[in-house]
Amino acid sequence: MGRPSANLTYDIKVRVDDKLNTKIEKYAIKCNLSKAAAIREILSSFFAQKN
């Protein structure tokens, strides 16, 4: 964890319910990531599977 990379240009904000937030937090803790890094990893993985 640390300062964001300079190539992260866009700031995206979303609202999630308690259930999804808990899942994200558990994943972040399990992978030793910040919530933001966990969300980036989850999204990257999702889009990689779609191609």
Side-chain angles (χ1 to χ4, degrees):
M1 289 192 255
R3 299 190 79 201
S5 175
N7 65 349
L8 301 177
T9 307
Y10 302 99
D11 183 24
I12 300 172
K13 298 181 190 296
V14 297
R15 291 179 184 258
V16 297
D17 61 17
D18 288 337
K19 185 177 178 181
L20 184 54
N21 186 59
T22 300
K23 287 181 179 182
I24 294 167
E25 287 177 340
K26 286 181 179 179
Y27 180 82
I29 291 168
K30 175 183 160 191
C31 296
N32 195 31
L33 298 168
S34 67
K35 278 178 65 176
I39 292 167
R40 283 191 293 271
E41 189 173 289
I42 292 164
L43 287 172
S44 293
S45 175
F46 174 81
F47 285 114
Q49 291 175 6
K50 293 293 183 182
N51 290 329

